[in-house]
Amino acid sequence: MKDRSLVQIALYAAIFAVLGLMPKFDLPIAGGVPITAQSMGAMLAGVMLGAKRGALAMLLVLFVVALGAPILAGGRGGLGVFFTPSAGFIFGWVAAAFVAGGLMSLLRRQAVFASALIASVVGGIVVLYAFGIAGMALKTDLSLIDAAKACLIFIPGDAIKAVLTALVAQTVARGMPEALLSRTR
């Protein structure tokens, strides 16, 4: 892998960590899964870097978290976070970034904003929730249906994050299109 790709992967892992500085909001109805800004980091990584690099950025995040770095919202880190009701979402960030990046590539001939919005919603909401709901159901006493219902509270915020991701992608594409790696071959 080229040095530039490694720097870009590290940059988006760092952006993800910075999003963890924003306060988390704990919701008792969601099995203890907090609302955080970090799902936007997975959306951004995929939309901006593409499938492979975006997923690698999220894998780097998981590695750093596993080493104990408190980069998750609320200062969480360490192996213990992989055994909480949030674990499905945490592991899902890799798949979310991969799918978002893959969709951006597939939709590269479409307008950037629309492509990024679709990619963010499908990767950063649909795919991420599939992992998150399964993880929540496994780690709590909620059924899959009840876990899915509990996740409904996350949709408005994640929809806003998808729009913000699309706006970032569109702005970057206007000023520095070569930085939108998901649209290049």
Side-chain angles (χ1 to χ4, degrees):
M1 187 168 286
K2 297 179 185 175
D3 289 343
R4 185 173 181 193
S5 289
L6 293 174
V7 169
Q8 292 159 335
I9 289 165
L11 173 64
Y12 278 86
I15 289 169
F16 185 93
V18 168
L19 289 169
L21 296 174
M22 296 182 76
K24 68 182 177 99
F25 299 98
D26 292 310
L27 301 171
I29 63 169
V33 176
I35 293 176
T36 74
Q38 289 184 301
S39 57
M40 185 175 166
M43 293 177 193
L44 280 168
V47 164
M48 300 302 294
L49 297 178
K52 182 180 172 185
R53 288 183 196 98
L56 287 172
M58 293 301 95
L59 282 171
L60 177 57
V61 166
L62 296 185
F63 178 71
V64 172
V65 167
L67 290 177
I71 63 171
L72 298 183
R76 298 172 300 142
L79 292 174
V81 299
F82 297 108
F83 301 98
T84 67
S86 298
F89 288 99
I90 293 169
F91 288 113
W93 290 328
V94 177
F98 185 83
V99 170
L103 283 172
M104 276 300 285
S105 181
L106 285 173
L107 299 171
R108 83 172 131 267
R109 299 200 190 286
Q110 307 304 315
V112 172
F113 181 85
S115 300
L117 184 60
I118 291 166
S120 294
V121 167
V122 174
I125 298 177
V126 175
V127 170
L128 183 59
Y129 283 32
F131 280 82
I133 290 166
M136 190 186 300
L138 284 171
K139 290 298 185 181
T140 65
D141 59 356
L142 297 173
S143 68
L144 280 173
I145 298 295
D146 289 338
K149 287 177 186 175
C151 286
L152 291 175
I153 196 157
F154 299 130
I155 291 177
D158 286 338
I160 292 168
K161 293 174 212 170
V163 170
L164 290 174
T165 297
L167 287 170
V168 168
Q170 182 180 44
T171 302
V172 169
R174 285 184 183 152
M176 202 161 81
E178 65 278 5
L180 195 57
L181 299 175
S182 59
R183 309 270 289 198
T184 61
R185 286 231 169 225

